[in-house]
């Protein structure tokens, strides 16, 4: 798993806010984050902890998608910080009607469109809480590598 970074250092290095982590495999692999000042979905699968730069596919997210993602993330976070068991997890379906509805509404936005950009960049975690209802400060971000 990726090492946490100091928030001030992330900002100084050009990293920006994340709104949600949609998939996690040894680190964030898919999510919604600000890239160059604009909300984008990002997806990258070739995570190698020895190589800080990974290739990601990125595409802009509409304001409507961002609002729905943030709402669904808040539902997810409320569960993660609660005492509820895995069987009640909203990601399993059937545990939270609004979460399930958002899952259906967001599915088309989460698919990389034709013409999505490829970006070589880094994904880093800050040293704060992983589950923040508002997406928090730079929880995870994709910053272009020069």
């Amino acid at each position: 798993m990726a090492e946490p970074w100091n928030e001030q250092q992330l900002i100084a290095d050009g990293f920006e806010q994340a709104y949600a982590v949609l998939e996690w495999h040894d680190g964030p692999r898919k999510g919604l984050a600000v890239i160059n000042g604009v909300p984008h979905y990002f997806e990258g699968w070739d995570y190698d902890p020895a190589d800080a730069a990974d290739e990601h596919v990125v595409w802009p997210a509409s304001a409507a998608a961002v609002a729905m993602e943030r709402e669904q993330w808040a539902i997810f976070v409320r569960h993660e910080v609660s005492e509820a068991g895995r069987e009640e997890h909203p990601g399993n379906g059937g545990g939270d009607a609004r979460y399930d509805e958002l899952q259906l509404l967001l599915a088309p936005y989460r698919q990389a469109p034709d013409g999505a950009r490829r970006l070589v960049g880094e994904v880093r975690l800050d040293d704060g809480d992983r589950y923040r209802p508002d997406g928090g400060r730079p929880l995870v971000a994709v910053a272009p590598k020069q």
Side-chain angles (χ1 to χ4, degrees):
M1 182 159 88
E3 290 293 318
W5 291 73
N6 174 276
E7 178 183 341
Q8 287 75 30
Q9 187 61 52
L10 286 172
I11 293 167
D13 289 347
F15 286 78
E16 298 176 85
Q17 180 180 10
Y19 293 118
V21 175
L22 304 174
E23 295 193 23
W24 185 279
H25 301 282
D26 295 327
R29 299 291 87 212
K30 187 173 187 175
L32 180 65
V34 177
I35 301 172
N36 295 325
V38 178
H40 282 75
Y41 284 98
F42 69 91
E43 183 173 355
W45 293 103
D46 298 324
Y47 180 70
D48 179 357
D51 180 15
D54 287 325
E55 185 175 280
H56 294 82
V57 177
V58 300
W59 60 99
S62 69
V66 171
M68 288 187 291
E69 290 289 2
R70 293 184 77 173
E71 181 182 356
Q72 190 181 50
W73 179 251
I75 295 167
F76 179 85
V77 169
R78 277 195 305 272
H79 179 297
E80 288 295 321
V81 300
S82 76
E83 298 295 322
R86 293 197 59 74
E87 58 279 349
E88 292 108 14
H89 197 285
N92 293 334
D96 184 291
R98 180 60 179 159
Y99 186 95
D100 294 344
E101 178 183 18
L102 289 166
Q103 192 74 0
L104 292 172
L105 292 170
L106 286 165
Y109 293 104
R110 292 176 173 173
Q111 298 300 314
D114 292 339
R117 299 189 297 143
R118 294 205 177 273
L119 174 74
V120 175
E122 288 183 69
V123 175
R124 294 184 188 172
L125 303 174
D126 77 1
D127 55 4
D129 292 333
R130 178 172 171 188
Y131 298 116
R132 300 176 206 163
D134 66 353
R137 298 163 304 277
L139 166 67
V140 63
V142 179
K145 288 294 276 187
Q146 304 304 325

